Amino acid sequence: MGGAQGVTQLNCSIDPEKAEILYRDFYNIGIAVDTEKGPMVPLIPDADQKNMVEIVQDLGAISKKARAGQIGLADMQGGTFTITNLGGIGGSFFTPIVNSPEVAILGVSRAIMDPCIGSSDGACARLRMPLSLSYDHRIIDGADGARFLRWIVEAIEEPMLISLEG
């Protein structure tokens, strides 16, 4: 996430008792998991230190653990940013709710094929996956949110470029 514009503001939390913003130098990414007991948000700790294979393995393991009812409170504390995905159950557009004390959450919707007009080949189809970013506007302004979403889109379109960022 080093090259993401505005990522510092998105990777922080609010301490309401001390009335201060806590900027984090680690990335504990919460993943919203739909379980029989309702949504749970276990963490992928130190996600910035892991490669894509490790993240996918961790994601599978924590999702399975959450659905089996084996998640403990420690597995869900200390998150710095959350990702939620309604695409798997058919969600197309939604507004995710920020997981306090975090200040931002990324919502991923179902990817669908959409017609595109105006290409050099005439009509075509392209895959489109709606993303929603909700954030605490006291800390994150719209421009930083838009730059972060643009970075996410570029990372999805060209994942090898992430490894080249410093």
Side-chain angles (χ1 to χ4, degrees), residues 47-104:
D48 59 316
Q49 304 297 315
K50 298 176 180 182
N51 63 40
M52 196 57 67
V53 172
E54 292 169 319
I55 290 172
V56 168
Q57 290 171 340
D58 284 359
L59 178 60
I62 64 169
S63 297
K64 183 178 180 180
K65 191 174 175 181
R67 288 188 183 108
Q70 299 171 343
I71 287 291
L73 192 55
D75 296 312
M76 297 187 287
Q77 289 182 323
T80 60
F81 186 84
T82 295
I83 300 171
T84 183
N85 177 359
L86 292 184
I89 58 174
S92 56
F93 290 99
F94 66 106
T95 303
I97 304 301
V98 176
N99 188 23
S100 184
E102 296 170 17
V103 298

Side-chain angles (χ1 to χ4, degrees), residues 8-10 12-14 21 23 103 136-141 144:
T8 300
Q9 289 86 355
L10 285 116
C12 67
S13 58
I14 296 175
I21 301 167
Y23 293 97
V103 298
D136 187 327
H137 219 301
R138 296 174 296 176
I139 298 165
I140 302 161
D141 67 33
D144 281 340

Side-chain angles (χ1 to χ4, degrees), residues 24-35:
R24 307 299 189 181
D25 59 357
F26 55 89
Y27 297 85
N28 292 342
I29 306 301
I31 304 296
V33 178
D34 184 29
T35 74

Side-chain angles (χ1 to χ4, degrees), residues 83-148:
I83 300 171
T84 183
N85 177 359
L86 292 184
I89 58 174
S92 56
F93 290 99
F94 66 106
T95 303
I97 304 301
V98 176
N99 188 23
S100 184
E102 296 170 17
V103 298
I105 183 170
L106 178 69
V108 181
S109 298
R110 173 166 283 200
I112 57 172
M113 294 301 289
D114 264 355
C116 58
I117 301 171
S119 72
S120 60
D121 299 330
C124 63
R126 66 179 180 160
L127 189 62
R128 183 178 56 86
M129 184 175 65
L131 302 174
S132 303
L133 181 66
S134 297
Y135 49 87
D136 187 327
H137 219 301
R138 296 174 296 176
I139 298 165
I140 302 161
D141 67 33
D144 281 340
R147 282 189 281 272
F148 179 74

